[in-house]
């Protein structure tokens, strides 16, 4: 069967990349996002896809049904379910568009399959309960997951909630479980080293300046042979603590010795910063972060997109490989 897919909250097209990578039969017939910068990136990579720039709440039941799509892929705003978003849950206006989709799901007569991604924490929310209740009401089988890319061979920590939904009118061969699954239902590959994704030439702008180096104590440092990295968020390069790893060509031993020397000085002092400069620490480039997020090698960020915009867009996206494998489970 050749599926017709609607990509909601399409962002820079991580779901689209996963669909193409899955090898499943079908096309993304329409994508919608309100972010104009994200849409410019999406259009650069998927020029033939019908891309709608407007609020999802203005997308009517009639418009969706006319598209004759049988599948929805979506990654609704995650901020209402995060610490930085103050865990406002359904009280956060950023949930309104997803609540709207939940409210009209019963009227979307052609929808047989759903894949939804969000942050860890969503599984404890009121919005999650409303979503699951609606899937049951609309006669969907569903399976919830909490999965990390590192479980399937990707050297990155990005624990996320996923939900697969399949209407019971179409047989699903996956044997679902009532609980949220934390082990991937597909075979994992070995973690690859970060050297595999590094660019050969990196501009000076990506190297850590004095303002960043004074916070050297909280940096998560990766090396060529590292088979791990921290979750990259939309604040990467703007804030240091908890937004993603940094990289050095130096050896772990050299780094250890350098920090030992630097710690003889007051943290953040000129002497401390001067010592850490020897490490030549830098941010991973947007292209490298895309590779860690398993976007295809031919994926591009258009010229004119600033460094800050690039990191924000990528940090808001999905890990392509995890979505790819879950799509295969959904359509098995």
């Amino acid at each position: 069967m050749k599926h017709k897919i609607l990509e909601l909250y399409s962002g820079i097209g991580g779901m689209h990349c996963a669909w193409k990578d899955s090898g499943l039969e079908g096309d993304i017939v329409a994508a919608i996002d309100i972010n104009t910068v994200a849409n410019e990136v999406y259009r650069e990579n998927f020029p033939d896809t019908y891309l709608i720039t407007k609020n999802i709440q203005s997308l009517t039941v009639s418009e969706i049904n006319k598209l004759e799509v049988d599948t929805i892929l979506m990654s609704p705003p995650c901020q209402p379910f995060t610490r930085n978003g103050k865990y406002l849950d359904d009280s956060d206006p950023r949930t309104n568009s997803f609540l709207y989709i939940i409210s009209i799901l019963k009227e979307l007569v052609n929808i047989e399959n759903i894949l939804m991604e969000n942050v860890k924490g969503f599984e404890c929310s009121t919005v999650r309960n409303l979503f699951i209740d609606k899937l049951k009401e609309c006669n969907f089988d569903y399976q919830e997951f909490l999965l990390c890319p590192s479980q399937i061979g990707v050297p990155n920590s990005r624990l996320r909630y996923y939900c697969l939904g399949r209407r019971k009118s179409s047989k699903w061969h996956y044997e679902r479980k009532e609980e949220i699954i934390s082990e991937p239902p597909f075979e994992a590959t070995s973690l690859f080293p970060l050297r595999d994704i590094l660019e050969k030439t990196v501009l000076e702008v990506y190297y850590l300046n004095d303002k960043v180096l004074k916070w050297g104590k909280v940096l998560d440092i990766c090396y060529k042979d590292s088979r791990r990295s921290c979750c990259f968020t939309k604040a990467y390069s703007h804030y240091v603590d908890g937004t993603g790893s940094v990289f050095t060509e130096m050896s772990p031993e050299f780094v250890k010795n350098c920090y030992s020397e630097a710690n003889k000085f007051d943290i953040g002092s000129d002497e401390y910063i001067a010592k850490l400069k020897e490490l030549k620490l830098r941010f991973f480039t947007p292209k490298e972060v895309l590779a860690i997020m398993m976007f295809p090698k031919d994926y591009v960020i258009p010229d004119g997109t600033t460094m800050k915009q690039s990191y924000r867009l990528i940090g808001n996206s999905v890990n392509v490989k995890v979505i790819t494998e879950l799509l295969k489970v959904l359509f098995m």
Side-chain angles (χ1 to χ4, degrees):
M1 177 180 177
K2 191 170 184 179
H3 297 281
K4 297 177 72 175
I5 300 111
L6 172 63
E7 188 180 10
L8 300 176
Y9 312 96
S10 50
I12 60 173
M15 295 280 191
H16 195 141
C17 291
W19 180 262
K20 289 178 68 176
D21 188 47
S22 72
L24 294 164
E25 287 289 319
D27 298 300
I28 310 286
V29 298
I32 179 169
D33 202 291
I34 199 170
N35 187 320
T36 54
V37 180
N39 286 347
E40 288 174 12
V41 178
Y42 191 104
R43 193 173 287 109
E44 179 77 16
N45 289 279
F46 311 108
D48 298 327
T49 300
Y50 175 41
L51 181 60
I52 306 166
T53 304
K54 66 177 181 179
N55 192 307
I56 284 173
Q57 288 154 271
S58 63
L59 196 62
T60 67
V61 170
S62 176
E63 284 178 293
I64 296 174
N65 285 336
K66 281 180 181 177
L67 291 170
E68 297 182 341
V69 291
D70 61 74
T71 301
I72 290 177
L73 308 180
M74 56 180 165
S75 181
C78 64
Q79 294 91 340
F81 316 108
T82 64
R83 179 186 61 188
N84 289 341
K86 300 180 181 177
Y87 300 110
L88 293 178
D89 199 354
D90 57 333
S91 299
D92 193 314
R94 287 170 291 193
T95 62
N96 290 346
S97 59
F98 185 43
L99 292 172
Y100 170 70
I101 292 298
I102 293 172
S103 72
I104 65 171
L105 184 58
K106 199 168 187 177
E107 301 172 73
L108 303 181
V109 294
N110 299 313
I111 300 301
E112 294 283 330
N113 314 289
I114 294 173
L115 187 152
M116 195 276 279
E117 183 260 15
N118 214 284
V119 293
K120 175 174 168 40
F122 177 85
E123 75 279 6
C124 305
S125 69
T126 298
V127 175
R128 174 266 176 194
N129 295 339
L130 292 170
F131 178 52
I132 295 299
D133 287 346
K134 182 60 68 171
L135 289 178
K136 292 176 180 176
E137 181 187 338
C138 295
N139 203 33
F140 277 82
D141 271 331
Y142 67 90
Q143 182 64 65
E144 299 172 282
F145 300 89
L146 279 171
L147 300 175
C148 187
S150 60
Q151 292 174 289
I152 59 168
V154 181
N156 184 238
S157 297
R158 194 178 184 85
L159 184 61
R160 289 293 184 268
Y161 168 93
Y162 302 90
C163 182
L164 305 182
R166 183 156 178 169
R167 208 180 286 272
K168 292 180 181 179
S169 56
S170 58
K171 186 172 176 60
W172 191 13
H173 297 290
Y174 178 76
E175 189 175 338
R176 69 172 298 272
K177 297 178 175 63
E178 198 64 39
E179 68 270 21
I180 298 176
I181 303 300
S182 59
E183 291 294 329
F186 33 79
E187 190 174 344
T189 55
S190 299
L191 290 161
F192 60 84
L194 292 178
R195 66 168 67 247
D196 290 357
I197 59 92
L198 296 174
E199 292 196 74
K200 291 181 179 178
T201 304
V202 176
L203 298 175
E204 190 67 29
V205 68
Y206 294 107
Y207 284 83
L208 273 54
N209 59 30
D210 291 8
K211 186 178 178 181
V212 177
L213 287 172
K214 74 176 183 178
W215 299 102
K217 191 174 181 180
V218 301
L219 295 172
D220 179 76
I221 301 173
C222 290
Y223 310 90
K224 283 183 177 181
D225 293 326
S226 295
R227 295 174 188 261
R228 52 153 293 277
S229 58
C230 289
C231 179
F232 294 94
T233 76
K234 66 178 185 178
Y236 188 59
S237 82
H238 189 59
Y239 296 106
V240 180
D241 191 11
T243 64
S245 301
V246 296
F247 176 76
T248 180
E249 294 274 357
M250 305 302 178
S251 69
E253 293 74 23
F254 186 89
V255 171
K256 182 180 178 180
N257 291 335
C258 192
Y259 264 92
S260 180
E261 290 296 316
N263 288 334
K264 294 176 181 178
F265 307 106
D266 292 335
I267 293 175
S269 66
D270 290 346
E271 295 85 356
Y272 179 87
I273 292 169
K275 198 65 189 172
L276 292 190
K277 276 187 175 179
E278 295 178 19
L279 299 178
K280 297 181 180 178
L281 293 163
R282 68 169 178 85
F283 293 111
F284 286 91
T285 69
K287 188 173 182 179
E288 290 168 341
V289 181
L290 282 169
I292 290 171
M293 302 270 280
M294 300 304 288
F295 277 72
K297 290 181 180 179
D298 60 352
Y299 190 93
V300 296
I301 299 290
D303 293 339
T305 311
T306 68
M307 189 170 95
K308 184 177 179 180
Q309 287 173 331
S310 297
Y311 286 133
R312 285 184 67 85
L313 293 171
I314 299 167
N316 274 331
S317 193
V318 297
N319 185 280
V320 172
K321 185 172 175 61
V322 179
I323 302 291
T324 297
E325 297 304 322
L326 286 174
L327 284 170
K328 293 174 185 177
V329 173
L330 179 60
F331 288 96
M332 68 167 51

